[in-house]
Amino acid sequence: MSQAAVPAVPLPVRIPLREIVPWAVFVVLLALIAVYFVSAEQGATSIFANMYVHEFVHDGRHLLAFPCH
């Protein structure tokens, strides 16, 4: 006689919080840098001279509704 096969229930993988926090901080830092360059990199708060960064992210500013002129 054959026995009924019981399907194995997959156990969730536990990821320790100590492994997630450094990556979360890194991603938040990158996001803040990206928001700075898209939103405020021009004029008095400019890090780089000229308007190279402004022209590079110009369409992104309008797409995200940041005024720039």
Side-chain angles (χ1 to χ4, degrees):
M1 302 217 164
S2 64
Q3 295 179 328
V6 178
V9 178
L11 297 174
V13 177
R14 296 187 56 138
I15 301 174
L17 191 60
R18 291 180 182 176
E19 291 182 16
I20 295 173
V21 170
W23 288 104
V25 169
F26 178 67
V27 168
V28 167
L29 182 64
L30 285 180
L32 288 174
I33 290 170
V35 167
Y36 168 77
F37 278 113
V38 170
S39 66
E41 174 59 30
Q42 69 179 12
T45 61
S46 180
I47 294 176
F48 301 105
N50 301 326
M51 297 293 283
Y52 295 126
V53 175
H54 173 85
E55 293 301 325
F56 184 72
V57 297
H58 186 87
D59 292 334
R61 289 175 191 253
H62 292 296
L63 182 67
L64 296 173
F66 284 106
C68 65
H69 42 118

